[in-house]
Amino acid sequence: MEQLRRVLYVDDDPSVCELVEVALEATSDLELRTCLSGKEALDEIKTFDAQLLVIDVNMREMDGPETVSALKRAGVRIPIIFTTAETDPETHIQLRGLGSLDVLIKPFDPLTLQQRLHNLWDSVADA
């Protein structure tokens, strides 16, 4: 089973990206890249061999589901976790229907983020 090493995090809120960077750099050995837009993520995925994509649902210009669709059209197959402040269970079901491993509700605890990502990665690797 391959260990999780490289994560691409996408959120159009720079403060959230900074929080995630600080939390993961302090608590893990993950290599993290952050992007502030779906379009930036589409470019970054070409050069960064991410194993896992963590992406916000509601972003300006190109939202999370649109970005995921564009990645799939480009032939990129990568496990995805959506983040959102939306707590409606129906929305979460729809997001999982797009192929998401899980939906992290914002605000999430940055101190437990690394362990949550590893747990979700392990659940896919064991499947």
Side-chain angles (χ1 to χ4, degrees), residues 53-115:
L53 173 65
V54 183
I55 186 166
D56 188 30
V57 171
N58 296 312
M59 296 186 293
R60 296 177 287 279
E61 295 180 34
M62 178 182 265
D63 67 18
E66 290 170 335
T67 304
V68 168
S69 292
L71 288 169
K72 288 179 181 178
R73 284 192 305 274
V76 175
R77 300 290 178 252
I78 184 171
I80 298 158
I81 299 170
F82 282 112
T83 65
T84 184
E86 178 62 59
T87 60
D88 177 44
E90 281 299 314
T91 300
H92 292 203
I93 290 169
Q94 291 171 351
L95 292 170
R96 285 188 186 95
L98 297 175
S100 178
L101 300 176
D102 202 0
V103 178
L104 300 180
I105 299 173
K106 291 163 71 176
F108 46 81
D109 180 357
L111 298 177
T112 62
L113 180 60
Q114 178 261 348
Q115 188 60 52

Side-chain angles (χ1 to χ4, degrees), residues 24-51:
L24 291 182
E25 288 173 359
T27 63
S28 76
D29 58 355
L30 293 175
E31 183 179 350
L32 177 72
R33 298 272 175 96
T34 58
C35 296
L36 295 172
S37 71
K39 290 180 182 179
E40 187 180 333
L42 293 174
D43 288 337
E44 187 68 32
I45 203 88
K46 294 174 188 173
T47 58
F48 180 60
D49 187 24
Q51 296 169 284

